Amino acid sequence: MEYRYLGRTGVQVSELSLGSWVTFHNQVDVNHAVEMMTAAREAGVNFFDNAEIYAKGESEKIMGAALKKLGWRRGSYLVSSKFFWGLHEGVNEKDTLNRKYLMEAIDGSLKRFGLDHLDLVFCHRPDPHTQIEETVWAMHNIVESGKAIYWGTSEWSAAEIVAAIEIAEKHHLHKPIMEQPQYNMFHRQVFEVEYARLFRDYGYGTTTWSPLASGLLTGKYNDGVPEGSRGSIKKYDWLLESLTDQVKINKVKKLTEIAGDLGASTAQLALAWLLKNPNVSTVITGASRAEQVRENMKAVEVVAKLTPDVMDTIEQVLA
């Protein structure tokens, strides 16, 4: 496992990390979380991603309980959360980045985790109804209070991120230093084109999510939707259109052949492909059991096999 600086900060994150979306609470209890996090840690992972909205707060509770059981030294790992959607239906408590919500959200998150601070906190989506300046000040105050170390954005446009950075610089505030965007072989435009300025001018860090396109890039959907997969879970049926897209599946089948020639799985190839991009600080992986974690971690061994010729062949497949 290699470690990469998170943007222009001095903190380093493992190139592969472990996230809890979908799995923690929905598929994984505390004991299984301990097993998965242990497998990740043994492979060199030092960053564990979460969010307030995941399983409506239950994901944070499970990760917090797992961390308590594991008893790791606090300085040896990074943990994150994200705020926007909210857990309640109150007028100032959902779909917002207003100051009141953010200052209360960090306290709720810390209580669920059982921690005195988070390493990374993200504004989970942009808020069109709250002035960016209000959000920047609130996030600055959260960092100043010691409840978080760094803050960033998730699924914000490049223009919104630049606006936040410029406001922070104008007032000498803690500015956002990382984005958590979706990035995989089938979702590239925003990361590779729109964000190019962020990487060039601001050295913005990234903690990318959905590296396997919700499982499509594992090859498991090549012959339909298997029982027990994410696509078979009713609350995630909105993913089915993409997971059964025949054009994408045909590409995955060709990628599977390339992976086989390299002695790798399709998932490992997809993860290694992401790691070839120097603008990726860490790739957040997901899993529902420890063995999946171990298999995903082997992707670091595939990176060296992605020669320019292999990368060109992959690009021809992706078209």
Side-chain angles (χ1 to χ4, degrees), residues 41-317:
R41 170 97 162 188
E42 289 173 347
V45 168
N46 74 342
F47 170 46
F48 301 88
D49 180 72
N50 216 312
E52 175 193 64
I53 193 60
Y54 294 170
K56 296 184 178 180
E58 295 301 316
S59 178
E60 290 180 322
K61 290 180 182 179
I62 286 181
M63 185 173 284
L67 288 169
K68 185 176 182 179
K69 277 193 170 188
L70 290 163
W72 296 335
R73 189 178 67 259
R74 184 63 183 91
S76 67
Y77 64 88
L78 303 166
V79 64
S80 71
S81 193
K82 298 181 281 292
F83 310 122
F84 172 75
W85 308 107
L87 297 177
H88 307 285
E89 293 300 312
V91 66
N92 291 313
E93 299 178 279
K94 65 174 185 176
D95 302 347
T96 184
L97 294 175
N98 70 59
R99 180 179 181 83
K100 172 179 169 58
Y101 161 71
L102 288 171
M103 301 304 286
E104 294 170 352
I106 183 65
D107 287 339
S109 183
L110 290 174
K111 184 177 180 180
R112 288 186 291 275
F113 272 114
L115 298 173
D116 59 7
H117 75 274
L118 298 180
D119 301 282
L120 312 178
V121 288
F122 297 82
C123 293
H124 210 165
R125 290 294 186 275
D127 177 1
H129 306 295
T130 299
Q131 294 293 316
I132 291 180
E133 186 166 355
E134 177 177 341
T135 298
V136 172
W137 269 102
M139 297 306 290
H140 164 78
N141 291 146
I142 287 173
V143 172
E144 279 290 282
S145 71
K147 294 177 181 179
I149 308 300
Y150 301 101
W151 80 275
T153 55
S154 181
E155 295 295 323
W156 282 35
S157 70
E160 290 164 332
I161 293 169
V162 169
I165 291 173
E166 290 179 344
I167 288 170
E169 290 180 337
K170 176 182 178 181
H171 298 289
H172 305 289
L173 307 177
H174 291 288
K175 56 189 174 184
I177 55 90
M178 72 276 179
E179 161 69 18
Q180 186 165 124
Q182 180 179 177
Y183 183 43
N184 57 58
M185 286 177 164
F186 292 139
H187 192 96
R188 303 172 59 179
Q189 180 73 14
V190 172
F191 192 94
E192 296 180 3
V193 180
E194 182 182 345
Y195 287 168
R197 176 190 176 189
L198 298 176
F199 305 137
R200 182 186 66 245
D201 296 347
Y202 300 101
Y204 215 56
T206 57
T207 62
T208 63
W209 64 278
S210 196
L212 302 179
S214 295
L216 182 60
L217 285 164
T218 65
K220 70 171 68 173
Y221 296 99
N222 285 359
D223 300 307
V225 180
E227 189 63 34
S229 66
R230 184 175 300 182
S232 68
I233 301 174
K234 187 174 182 180
K235 66 185 296 185
Y236 294 104
D237 56 9
W238 52 274
L239 290 170
L240 280 178
E241 183 177 353
S242 176
L243 294 176
T244 56
D245 184 319
Q246 198 57 51
V247 173
K248 291 180 179 177
I249 288 174
N250 288 340
K251 292 181 179 181
V252 174
K253 290 179 177 178
K254 293 178 181 178
L255 292 171
T256 299
E257 294 177 4
I258 296 173
D261 291 341
L262 298 177
S265 69
T266 314
Q268 290 163 356
L269 175 70
L271 293 170
W273 179 86
L274 290 168
L275 293 177
K276 292 289 286 187
N277 190 323
N279 294 319
V280 170
S281 305
T282 183
V283 176
I284 300 172
T285 64
S288 57
R289 59 184 190 277
E291 186 52 41
Q292 283 182 321
V293 174
R294 296 187 185 97
E295 285 300 307
N296 286 339
M297 294 301 116
K298 293 177 183 177
V300 299
E301 302 168 8
V302 181
V303 177
K305 299 179 181 180
L306 300 187
T307 63
D309 286 345
V310 173
M311 291 294 282
D312 286 343
T313 301
I314 293 172
E315 198 63 36
Q316 291 171 21
V317 172

